[in-house]
Structures are given as C-alpha cells and as structure tokens.
Amino acid sequence: MARYMLSVHSREGAVREPVNEEAMLRSHAQLGEIERDMAATGAWVFSGRLHEPDTATVVRASGGEVLTTDGPFAESKDHLGGFYVIEAPDLDSALGWAAKVTACIGVPIEVRPFAGFADKPQAP
C-alpha cells in the first residue's frame, strides 16, 4: 500500500456560513466517525490539527548560522490547517477518504502520495 497525505487547507479571512453549536457538534461527530472508519479499515496512520499560522516559527540555515523568524514560511492567505497520513491501495481510495472529509468539514483537501512508501522498495 502507498501512503498519502490529505492536507486540510483553510483561507485566512474566508467568510463561512455561521454555524450554530448543534451543527458544529454534528460535524465533529461525523468527522469522528470518518476517523474511526479510517482506523477500522487500516487506512489511518496519523493525523493532526494545527494552530493558526501566526503561531508558526520558521527555522533556516543561512551563512553557517541558524535563524528563526516568527510567522508562517509562505506569505499567503491559504494555510495548512491540519492533515491526515493514510495508507491506501491506490489514489482512488485516497481520494475517497478525502471526499468524505471535505464533505464533512467544507474546506479543500489536497491529496499527495509520499515518495518511496510502497509495499516494494522503489528502485533508485
């Protein structure tokens, strides 16, 4: 099986329809069900939700020194809000999981395979 990253993207300042507490609880319950299904089928490897982009710190090497700067690496209105790492037999299966997540939370999901995580070692 291959591993895929399902990236959950959000847009800074995006206007979303107001959600009442009942709808939010329903969405969280649905997402929990999807995540339990991922685990039960062996697809779920790891997932995480991230704090807002302004909490990021970028670390880079420059001129033999290590520098840190506050804020996200890229100046963009689109940010990574969370992710899933899943195992799936093929891209279509990974897209199926992404479709369930985006239908539940209403934001775009980018699906990308990891390099070199197939059942058989990749030839150089």
Side-chain angles (χ1 to χ4, degrees):
M1 283 216 223
R3 286 194 178 171
Y4 295 86
M5 183 161 126
L6 281 54
S7 305
V8 180
H9 291 271
S10 60
R11 175 160 284 205
E12 187 178 319
V15 178
R16 295 179 74 179
E17 291 185 33
V19 179
N20 63 33
E21 187 173 345
E22 181 182 331
M24 187 171 52
L25 290 173
R26 187 171 47 251
S27 176
H28 287 163
Q30 290 171 336
L31 192 56
E33 186 175 320
I34 292 167
E35 292 171 354
R36 284 188 295 279
D37 287 348
M38 283 181 181
T41 62
W44 186 86
V45 175
F46 182 77
S47 65
R49 289 168 183 82
L50 302 173
H51 283 282
E52 295 299 318
D54 63 355
T55 65
T57 303
V58 178
V59 181
R60 73 183 81 213
S62 178
E65 293 186 47
V66 175
L67 307 173
T68 60
T69 54
D70 293 336
F73 172 72
E75 293 295 326
S76 174
K77 290 189 178 279
D78 296 322
H79 298 285
L80 180 64
F83 61 91
Y84 293 89
V85 175
I86 64 166
E87 288 189 341
D90 53 39
L91 178 60
D92 287 339
S93 296
L95 294 174
W97 287 115
K100 290 178 182 185
V101 174
T102 193
C104 180
I105 63 176
V107 297
I109 308 294
E110 178 184 349
V111 178
R112 291 177 66 182
F114 280 88
F117 278 93
D119 282 337
K120 298 179 184 173
Q122 302 285 322

